[in-house]
């Protein structure tokens, strides 16, 4: 770890990641569902700031989707900024500005040094930094969020983290006694923690140990950034609200849309207890029944209430599309409190209707054979979480699609060159993004560079791209060397991508 990092893990880059809850269209929808005016109307220019942007994947996706936006992304790690700037340069994105700045640097700026932002987002920052830096963020928000602007903060939350905190402290203390890179230290610490657990530790939660070991197999880099920051401290929602109120920010709702519908995950008795406490305590009481370890909170600087009639009209006018290869006719989702099944027959009806083409919620309700429907708010929340009904811009021009396709091609080539196993496609029609694995990246590159969308042609082109970059197909960990076997596997896999993923890419404006 480095002195300039103030105890934050900086010897290894953060893992790339795209977080759709940070996209303005999603934040606007949170506001609409909660009956609060968003900062802008569709199509209007807007300003956006990401504090702690990491490798810039969310800001890059946003820039590709919104040429009308002025986007500023800041991170104190120069390696992160260098990576993001190169990706923006290759994609020809001139509307995103990546700057190496600490929170102290930004807090010292005059009000005229940056735009007044319509949106400011912080993903995975607040509970990983020292108190002095949290207060610097409050100063930044006070100075640079315009009236009516949205702030989205994701953070590790209490009481959900109470059972897991002993493991984090053990890993942090163990790493402090060793030397080496943070990813190696977290692996050594997990080995030690597992030995303690196996010997009968009563302080380490068995279920959480299993979850953490599964995450370790996917990315020790992620775990190092999650657990080895010296100032890491989960907080209660009420404490975050108190801090952000200093910047005149009022809590609106959760960017995890279903969490805005307590009847879906709280019993009648639990809802009664929530209603019995003062409003300032209600989110904390909910967290005792639905113990989230990670909250996604949305605030507005001066929330203005939308009248019920206007809200109903705006929801009915929302056009939606199917953003998955197959609809979920009986959608189910898992929350911390358990699995939720949505039994209304309208969900299957809506999904089948959207297979035939996009429609507004009002049009779906008005179809002659439509069964009784849940509220529009719930339809959107469930639809987005299951990809059954995602808001879509039906008027996306072919010229705009071509620009996004070129940006995505640049993203894919950059990601492959950097050895990344996945990347995010900007999806302009849904004003968001979709993550795809390496083979899908190769298929996208083949199609975007003129290969016909035919299984044989795409399979051969993908095999060429794979081998030219020194990549290999594997079976049970063993490299496949036989060219005929490689091509045969490519036919199977690329054929499925063309059949299942390509129609979705077209529908959501990624290709």
């Amino acid at each position: 770890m480095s002195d300039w990092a103030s105890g934050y893990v900086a010897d290894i880059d953060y893992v790339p990641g795209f977080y759709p809850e940070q996209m303005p269209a999603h934040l606007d929808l949170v506001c609409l569902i909660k009956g609060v005016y968003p900062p802008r109307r569709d199509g209007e220019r807007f300003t956006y700031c990401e504090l702690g942007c990491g490798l810039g994947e969310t800001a890059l996706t946003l820039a590709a989707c919104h040429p009308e936006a002025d986007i500023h992304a800041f991170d104190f790690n120069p390696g992160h900024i260098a990576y993001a700037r190169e990706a923006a340069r290759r994609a020809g994105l001139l509307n995103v500005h990546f700057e190496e700045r600490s929170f102290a640097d930004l807090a010292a700026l005059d009000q005229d040094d940056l735009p007044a932002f319509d949106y400011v987002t912080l993903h995975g920052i607040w509970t990983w930094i020292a108190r002095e830096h949290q207060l610097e963020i409050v100063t930044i928000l006070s100075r640079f969020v315009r009236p009516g602007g949205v702030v989205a903060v994701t953070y590790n939350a209490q009481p959900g983290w109470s059972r897991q905190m002993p493991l984090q402290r053990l890993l942090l203390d163990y790493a402090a006694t060793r030397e080496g890179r943070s990813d190696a230290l977290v692996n050594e610490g997990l080995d030690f923690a597992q030995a303690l657990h196996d010997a009968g530790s009563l302080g380490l939660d068995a279920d959480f140990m299993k979850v953490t070991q599964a995450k370790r197999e996917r990315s020790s880099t992620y775990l190092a950034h999650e657990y080895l920051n010296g100032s890491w401290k989960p907080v209660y929602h009420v404490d975050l609200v108190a801090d952000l109120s200093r910047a005149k920010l009022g809590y609106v709702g959760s960017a995890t849309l279903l969490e805005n519908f307590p009847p879906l995950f709280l019993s009648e008795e639990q809802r009664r207890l929530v209603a019995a406490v003062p409003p300032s305590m209600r989110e904390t009481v909910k967290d005792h029944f639905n113990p989230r370890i990670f909250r996604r909170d949305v605030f507005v600087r001066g929330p203005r209430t939308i009248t019920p009639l206007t809200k109903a009209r705006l929801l009915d006018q929302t056009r939606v599309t199917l953003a998955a290869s197959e609809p979920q006719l009986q959608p189910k989702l898992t929350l911390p409190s358990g699995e939720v099944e949505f039994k209304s027959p309208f969900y299957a009806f809506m999904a089948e209707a959207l297979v035939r083409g996009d429609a507004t919620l009002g049009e779906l309700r008005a179809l002659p054979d439509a069964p009784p429907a849940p509220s529009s708010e719930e339809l959107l929340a469930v639809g987005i979480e299951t990809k059954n009904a995602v808001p879509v811009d039906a008027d996306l021009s072919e010229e705009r699609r071509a620009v996004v396709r070129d940006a995505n091609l640049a993203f894919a080539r950059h990601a492959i060159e950097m050895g990344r196993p996945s990347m995010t496609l900007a999806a302009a029609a849904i004003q968001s993004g979709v993550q795809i694995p390496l083979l899908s990246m190769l298929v996208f590159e083949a199609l975007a560079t003129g290969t016909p969308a035919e299984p044989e042609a795409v399979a051969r082109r993908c095999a060429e791209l794979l081998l030219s970059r020194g990549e290999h197909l594997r079976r049970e960990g063993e490299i496949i060397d036989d060219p005929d076997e490689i091509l045969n596997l490519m036919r199977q896999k690329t054929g499925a991508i063309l059949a299942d993923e390509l129609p979705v890419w077209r529908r959501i404006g990624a290709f």
Side-chain angles (χ1 to χ4, degrees):
M1 300 186 194
S2 306
D3 291 338
W4 55 265
S6 300
Y8 196 89
V9 171
D11 59 332
I12 52 175
D13 286 344
Y14 190 65
V15 291
F18 169 72
Y19 307 102
E21 299 87 359
Q22 292 181 265
M23 300 297 277
H26 186 90
L27 298 173
D28 289 350
L29 189 58
V30 174
C31 291
L32 179 58
I33 285 174
K34 296 298 291 184
V36 171
Y37 277 104
R40 65 184 179 113
R41 296 181 184 274
D42 286 343
E44 287 184 341
R45 296 181 60 83
F46 64 89
T47 52
Y48 180 97
C49 171
E50 184 177 7
L51 297 175
C53 64
L55 296 175
E57 193 138 342
T58 298
L60 290 164
T61 304
L62 177 61
C65 287
H66 289 283
E68 77 280 10
D70 180 25
I71 301 160
H72 296 253
F74 301 101
D75 201 283
F76 79 142
N77 188 320
H80 291 169
I81 295 301
Y83 180 98
R85 283 180 173 176
E86 177 62 12
R89 184 192 68 78
R90 292 188 179 198
L93 298 174
L94 303 179
N95 60 330
V96 60
H97 316 283
F98 291 101
E99 296 292 339
E100 179 197 341
R101 296 283 183 91
S102 69
F103 298 134
D105 294 336
L106 293 170
L109 295 177
D110 292 331
Q111 196 157 10
D112 294 336
D113 291 335
L114 289 174
F117 291 113
D118 297 294
Y119 304 89
V120 178
T121 67
L122 305 84
H123 173 77
I125 300 295
W126 188 265
T127 44
W128 288 263
I129 58 175
R131 180 62 179 164
E132 64 184 285
H133 302 312
Q134 291 176 344
L135 295 177
E136 288 162 357
I137 288 174
V138 173
T139 297
I140 295 164
L141 299 178
S142 298
R143 197 164 294 162
F144 298 113
V145 178
R146 77 164 179 82
V150 165
V151 174
V153 185
T154 63
Y155 60 100
N156 279 343
Q158 292 283 40
W161 259 99
S162 57
R163 291 191 305 159
Q164 292 91 326
M165 291 185 74
L167 175 60
Q168 187 276 338
R169 182 57 185 263
L170 179 66
L171 294 176
L172 181 65
D173 289 347
Y174 189 86
T177 68
R178 297 290 193 271
E179 292 184 357
R181 276 187 16 156
S182 295
D183 49 354
L185 293 177
V186 81
N187 278 321
E188 290 179 30
L190 282 170
D191 288 339
F192 181 67
Q194 190 64 51
L196 287 185
H197 174 266
D198 294 345
S201 167
L202 299 179
L204 297 174
D205 183 82
D207 291 337
F208 189 65
M209 283 293 298
K210 291 179 183 177
V211 170
T212 306
Q213 292 290 16
K215 290 180 179 178
R216 174 191 191 179
E217 293 178 6
R218 295 195 296 271
S219 176
S220 56
T221 297
Y222 165 78
L223 290 179
H225 281 272
E226 180 74 16
Y227 294 139
L228 299 190
N229 290 307
S231 298
W232 180 88
K233 184 182 178 182
V235 300
Y236 286 89
H237 165 83
V238 67
D239 294 328
L240 177 66
V241 168
D243 278 337
L244 296 195
S245 69
R246 303 181 189 191
K248 302 181 182 178
L249 291 160
Y251 176 68
V252 170
S254 173
T256 306
L257 296 178
L258 287 179
E259 292 175 357
N260 297 303
F261 299 88
L264 295 179
F265 58 88
L266 296 183
S267 68
E268 185 176 346
E269 181 182 6
Q270 290 169 343
R271 296 198 301 274
R272 179 180 60 77
L273 289 168
V274 169
V277 300
S280 62
M281 283 188 63
R282 287 176 186 168
E283 287 298 310
T284 299
V285 175
K286 288 179 191 176
D287 284 342
H288 278 273
F289 299 128
N290 185 44
R292 295 167 278 188
I293 65 172
F294 194 70
R295 286 188 60 114
R296 301 174 176 89
D297 287 353
V298 179
F299 298 80
V300 170
R301 192 160 193 249
R304 295 179 301 127
T305 302
I306 302 175
T307 64
L309 188 62
T310 300
K311 176 181 174 181
R313 175 177 56 80
L314 292 172
L315 287 168
D316 274 353
Q317 291 174 349
T318 302
R319 181 167 292 277
V320 292
T321 192
L322 183 68
S325 57
E326 294 290 338
Q328 292 190 44
L329 300 182
Q330 294 182 308
K332 298 179 182 179
L333 289 167
T334 301
L335 296 174
S337 56
E339 186 177 78
V340 180
E341 183 176 0
F342 303 96
K343 298 181 179 180
S344 168
F346 193 85
Y347 287 110
F349 173 83
M350 177 171 68
E352 290 172 337
L354 292 176
V355 169
R356 300 190 294 270
D358 304 341
T360 67
L361 292 182
E363 289 168 347
L364 291 169
R365 289 177 183 279
L367 290 173
D369 51 347
S375 69
S376 294
E377 296 96 321
E378 182 181 319
L379 285 176
L380 280 174
V382 175
I384 288 169
E385 296 289 352
T386 60
K387 297 185 178 180
N388 259 9
V390 177
V392 65
D393 176 5
D395 298 325
L396 193 67
S397 68
E398 184 52 44
E399 180 182 4
R400 183 79 193 102
R401 286 178 182 273
V403 170
V404 174
R405 186 162 54 242
D406 289 345
N408 282 332
L409 175 60
F411 292 158
R413 285 175 164 168
H414 189 221
I416 292 169
E417 182 179 316
M418 300 303 293
R420 298 227 344 242
S422 64
M423 54 87 66
T424 302
L425 292 177
I430 62 171
Q431 300 177 42
S432 189
V434 58
Q435 290 186 296
I436 60 172
L438 176 60
L439 193 52
S440 296
M441 292 157 60
L442 294 174
V443 171
F444 188 95
E445 179 173 352
L447 295 172
T449 53
T451 303
E454 300 165 358
E456 183 66 23
V458 172
R460 289 185 178 279
R461 179 58 179 151
C462 286
E464 292 172 4
L465 290 170
L466 189 77
L467 296 176
S468 69
R469 286 160 177 163
E471 300 283 352
H472 301 279
L473 291 179
R474 297 174 185 267
R475 182 185 292 112
E476 297 179 355
E478 296 294 324
I479 292 175
I480 301 172
D481 290 321
D482 181 67
D484 291 335
E485 190 173 0
I486 291 172
L487 186 56
N488 189 46
L489 282 171
M490 278 293 187
R491 289 189 185 104
Q492 297 172 28
K493 294 179 180 294
T494 59
I497 292 169
L498 290 173
D500 297 335
E501 296 183 37
L502 179 57
V504 175
W505 296 346
R506 287 174 169 154
R507 199 180 303 136
I508 64 178
F511 186 85

